[in-house]
Amino acid sequence: MYALEVHNLTVTYHNTPVLWGVSFEVPKGAMVGILGPNGAGKSTLLKTILGFIKPVSGTIRCFGKTIEQLKKHIAYVPQKESVDWTFPATVWDVVMMGRYGKRKLYEPLRLEDKKAVIEALKKVDMLLLKHRHISALSGGQQQRVFLARALAQDPILFLLDEPFAGIDMASEENIITLLKQLKNEGKTIIVVHHNLLTAPQYFDYLLFLNSRRIAWGPTKEVFTEENIQKTYGGRLPTLSKISTILKTTGQPPVE
Ligand code: ADP
């Protein structure tokens, strides 16, 4: 059984198609990168998987179930830009939100919830700043807090939208190390990613997307100059660097 099965998905905004007949199947424990230019429909794909957007056609199954049945077990880390950082909340409050899905309305949080929050904050190295307001954090710290919220939820599937955009190297290393640990624990992780240079090191499967599925499969098979060209149409400044890497090594730069 697949962790995620997306079949023939078509999504429109005001009758304009943004995703066209997209299909792919993600095995359990995979770490997937979604690559594509701005406006390719990457965020829309995540939001549709989460059930925030209703597709015109197509089906989505998570471990054989509908998203409605499994949504408590799917964690989402939104794009940093889409979060209101002036919202009156501390680091602790945000991470505690990850526990609400486990409780019924008005049911008090338990000691185990507090423990899970502390554990999650430790993993992203943010426990010392637990009382700080979220607006008073660096971009990397903000991203780590949202990852801690996802960890506190203890999901089976993680969906992250550009978690490495605009953050410092130390935060990027902290996050990728954590994601790799989660993968080793059997969690399935899907990440919208913008950096083609790090993509082959970070992910074992890649989805090249530009409204349609351009390519999908194990990184070693699909990270090719041809697929990159087809997806970005040669508009990418780093393209020559990528092709140099491919020419000198004959394959993507893996660890
Ligand atoms: P990506 O994440 O790959 O940059 P998006 O999924 O954000 O792409 O957007 C895909 C296309 O859909 C873009 O052309 C964008 O302008 C459009 N779009 C995104 N959200 C909306 C919306 N809420 N209403 C109308 N159009 C939208």
Side-chain angles (χ1 to χ4, degrees):
M1 189 197 298
Y2 290 107
L4 182 71
E5 229 177 317
V6 172
H7 183 66
N8 211 8
L9 192 71
T10 295
V11 176
T12 61
Y13 287 121
H14 316 296
N15 293 327
T16 308
V18 175
L19 294 172
W20 263 110
V22 174
S23 299
F24 59 103
E25 285 133 8
V26 180
K28 180 178 180 288
M31 175 110 121
V32 178
I34 303 178
L35 297 169
N38 279 341
K42 304 181 295 297
S43 295
T44 301
L45 177 58
L46 288 197
K47 287 176 192 164
T48 312
I49 294 170
L50 285 154
F52 299 166
I53 297 171
K54 206 173 162 346
V56 172
S57 62
T59 52
I60 300 169
R61 289 282 177 279
C62 186
F63 292 93
K65 299 197 165 136
T66 63
I67 297 305
E68 195 52 43
Q69 288 170 313
L70 267 193
K71 67 180 176 203
K72 282 183 187 166
H73 303 282
I74 305 174
Y76 174 48
V77 178
Q79 247 181 44
K80 235 163 12 79
E81 288 71 36
S82 66
V83 174
D84 175 9
W85 296 103
T86 61
F87 187 76
T90 63
V91 166
W92 181 268
D93 298 334
V94 169
V95 181
M96 194 52 102
M97 283 173 200
R99 303 297 299 175
Y100 294 157
K102 296 201 178 292
R103 304 279 163 251
K104 294 195 184 78
L105 204 60
Y106 305 122
E107 185 190 358
L109 293 165
R110 303 178 189 160
L111 189 62
E112 69 190 72
D113 298 313
K114 207 173 151 186
K115 280 189 183 152
V117 170
I118 291 172
E119 210 42 52
L121 282 170
K122 271 191 198 157
K123 282 192 176 148
V124 299
D125 201 15
M126 285 295 292
L127 190 59
L128 286 177
L129 297 181
K130 65 176 190 282
H131 296 307
R132 189 170 287 188
H133 188 272
I134 52 166
S135 64
L137 300 172
S138 74
Q141 289 169 337
Q142 288 174 335
Q143 199 60 265
R144 276 147 58 197
V145 170
F146 272 76
L147 181 58
R149 182 182 70 165
L151 291 171
Q153 194 182 334
D154 191 26
I156 50 176
L157 176 66
F158 287 80
L159 303 176
L160 297 93
D161 201 343
E162 298 226 17
F164 306 113
I167 67 170
D168 56 289
M169 265 318 288
S171 291
E172 176 149 352
E173 274 168 25
N174 172 286
I175 292 173
I176 194 66
T177 305
L178 248 173
L179 294 180
K180 285 184 176 177
Q181 275 170 15
L182 291 167
K183 173 193 154 54
N184 291 338
E185 289 165 18
K187 308 283 185 179
T188 308
I189 300 157
I190 300 179
V191 180
V192 170
H193 192 61
H194 67 289
N195 187 342
L196 277 172
L197 291 170
T198 50
Q201 296 165 26
Y202 288 179
F203 305 109
D204 43 21
Y205 285 80
L206 291 175
L207 173 65
F208 283 97
L209 187 73
N210 196 344
S211 294
R212 295 174 186 275
R213 181 183 100 173
I214 308 290
W216 159 249
T219 303
K220 282 197 181 106
E221 289 167 25
V222 298
F223 193 80
T224 63
E225 200 171 344
E226 192 193 347
N227 284 334
I228 295 168
Q229 291 273 11
K230 271 198 221 162
T231 308
Y232 293 90
R235 281 181 285 121
L236 206 74
T238 51
L239 209 53
S240 58
K241 212 167 163 188
I242 300 273
S243 70
T244 311
I245 293 168
L246 285 166
K247 274 188 194 118
T248 47
T249 63
Q251 57 181 23
V254 281
E255 276 177 308

